[in-house]
């Protein structure tokens, strides 16, 4: 049914949303502001510019935002003091990516994070070899929910968007993939997309582990290709 798979990264492949939220809540406390979970969830899935505008408003202005983001940058290192990744792999992600690779399915990442951040995060977790292409938020002029990222990822995979399936956790990410002409599997993370999005999804799953049983139907392997590794 599909020839390739395109993945979001934050909140889908890596558990980054929780540490990032914790960093912003702690940064707000340094300004004597109590930033609640529900307030922070307003920015999940938004572009950097949109997130900056909302967070600056919540924190009391641009100067407070600049103070807070410096705190967040210090807090969010790729590795903790004990050497473990700050952003661990989401449940089922390694298993599903390995199964796709075994089946010879080409995969890409379409993330609002920069290309450098994508490669650093996935490299620290030993996941880079699963992907044939990457599309970062710094490589397009319009962020999700615009389709630009998914169109770029599909182009770099060398396939038509209709031949690709997207895996997303956020509302804006799902909108981006749908607008690009992809079918979308939604795997909610911190913020569950509304019914208007999940109702248009190809599937809604609790984790990527639940995607593994669907592989034979979603990615029928042509004779002789099973076990072939993607280029």
């Amino acid at each position: 049914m599909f020839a390739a798979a395109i993945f979001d990264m934050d909140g889908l492949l890596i558990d980054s949303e929780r540490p990032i939220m914790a960093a912003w809540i702690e940064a707000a406390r340094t300004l004597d502001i109590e930033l609640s979970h529900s307030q922070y969830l307003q920015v999940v899935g938004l572009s950097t510019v949109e997130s900056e505008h909302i967070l600056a408003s919540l924190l009391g202005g641009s100067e407070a935002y600049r103070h807070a983001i410096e705190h967040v940058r210090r807090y969010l290192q790729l590795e903790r003091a004990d050497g473990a990744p700050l952003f661990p792999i989401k449940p089922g992600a390694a298993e599903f990516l390995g199964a796709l690779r075994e089946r010879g399915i080409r995969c890409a990442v379409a993330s609002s994070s920069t290309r450098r951040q994508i490669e650093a995060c996935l490299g620290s977790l030993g996941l880079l070899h699963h992907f044939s292409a990457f599309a970062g938020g710094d490589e397009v002029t319009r962020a999700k929910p615009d389709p630009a990222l998914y169109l770029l990822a599909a182009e770099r995979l060398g396939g038509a968007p209709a031949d690709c399936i997207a895996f997303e956790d956020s509302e804006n990410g799902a909108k981006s993939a749908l607008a690009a002409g992809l079918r979308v599997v939604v795997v909610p993370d911190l913020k569950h997309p509304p019914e208007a999005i999940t109702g248009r999804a190809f599937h809604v799953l609790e984790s990527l582990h639940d995607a593994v049983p669907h592989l034979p139907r979603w990615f029928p392997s042509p004779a002789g290709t099973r076990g072939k590794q993607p280029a």
Side-chain angles (χ1 to χ4, degrees), residues 173-209:
K175 284 181 177 179
S176 173
L178 288 167
L182 284 75
R183 304 293 290 275
V184 182
V185 174
V186 175
V187 187
D189 187 41
L190 282 179
K191 187 177 181 181
H192 202 291
E195 173 61 29
I197 294 299
T198 57
R200 298 172 61 195
F202 186 60
H203 271 283
V204 179
L205 304 175
E206 290 188 8
S207 75
L208 286 175
H209 172 77

Side-chain angles (χ1 to χ4, degrees), residues 20-37 39-40 55 58-60 64-65 67-72 75:
I20 291 172
M21 179 172 69
W24 277 103
I25 289 174
E26 179 60 29
R29 286 180 181 144
T30 67
L31 295 166
D32 294 324
I33 295 171
E34 288 297 321
L35 182 67
S36 69
H37 287 196
Q39 286 176 315
Y40 179 80
L55 286 167
L58 290 170
L59 296 172
Y65 174 84
H67 168 88
I69 199 168
E70 286 304 314
H71 179 93
V72 169
Y75 184 95

Side-chain angles (χ1 to χ4, degrees), residues 1-4 162-165 183 202 215-221:
M1 179 179 288
F2 301 105
D163 294 329
C164 304
I165 185 170
R183 304 293 290 275
F202 186 60
L215 272 172
R217 183 167 60 88
W218 292 352
F219 302 98
S221 294

Side-chain angles (χ1 to χ4, degrees), residues 9-10 13-16 76-80 82-90 94 115-131 134:
M9 184 178 73
D10 294 288
L13 292 176
I14 63 173
D15 192 4
S16 56
L76 294 176
Q77 302 298 320
L78 273 180
E79 292 188 345
R80 302 186 317 219
D82 60 4
L86 179 62
F87 302 148
I89 302 171
K90 290 280 288 185
R115 175 71 176 269
R116 182 177 178 181
Q117 288 170 333
I118 293 168
E119 293 180 351
C121 287
L122 297 181
S124 73
L125 296 171
L127 296 179
L128 274 179
H129 67 287
H130 290 295
F131 299 98
F134 304 90

